[in-house]
């Protein structure tokens, strides 16, 4: 798990699958593939992006690496994803 971004408003974590890890509890599903967790600190909600959503977000990350966006541009993009957030942050 890597923290990619952290501000007063948002935090973004990249969760990666480690094929070498065996589940501690067989009754708890293991992470199937990588994804991104975006936490909106203002609303106390989070969203987990996987699959095509994660691929789309990863494209944003690659573009940011090439173009060095302003914090406002990053926050605007994260706010767009955060509009989809439904899950309250319980433990972080």
């Amino acid at each position: 798990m890597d923290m990619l971004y952290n501000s007063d408003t948002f935090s973004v974590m990249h969760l990666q699958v480690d094929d070498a890890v065996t589940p501690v509890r067989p009754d708890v599903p293991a992470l199937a593939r990588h994804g991104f967790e975006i936490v909106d600190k203002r609303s106390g909600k989070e969203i987990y992006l996987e699959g095509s959503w994660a691929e789309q977000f990863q494209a944003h990350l690659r573009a940011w690496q090439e173009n060095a966006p302003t914090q406002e541009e990053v926050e605007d993009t994260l706010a767009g994803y955060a509009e989809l957030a439904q899950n309250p942050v319980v433990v972080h």
Side-chain angles (χ1 to χ4, degrees):
M1 178 169 27
D2 297 313
M3 174 150 320
L4 301 180
Y5 183 78
N6 191 29
S7 72
D8 291 340
T9 336
F10 294 102
S11 66
V12 179
M13 301 291 291
H14 184 206
L15 289 81
Q16 299 177 4
V17 176
D18 186 356
D19 294 333
V21 174
T22 56
V24 177
R25 292 181 41 196
D27 59 325
V28 176
L31 186 62
R33 55 186 173 188
H34 84 96
F36 298 93
E37 179 186 47
I38 300 172
V39 175
D40 182 346
K41 296 177 182 179
R42 300 166 301 180
S43 69
K45 294 186 178 180
E46 62 90 19
I47 185 167
Y48 183 74
L49 305 173
E50 66 177 353
S52 61
W53 283 101
E55 292 169 8
Q56 179 183 3
F57 187 72
Q58 196 158 21
H60 282 288
L61 294 176
R62 281 192 295 274
W64 289 343
Q65 288 174 334
E66 294 174 10
N67 300 321
T70 65
Q71 182 173 357
E72 184 178 338
E73 291 171 325
V74 171
E75 299 265 329
D76 287 345
T77 300
L78 294 176
Y81 284 101
E83 289 178 6
L84 304 170
Q86 300 294 317
N87 301 323
V89 176
V90 179
V91 177
H92 270 272

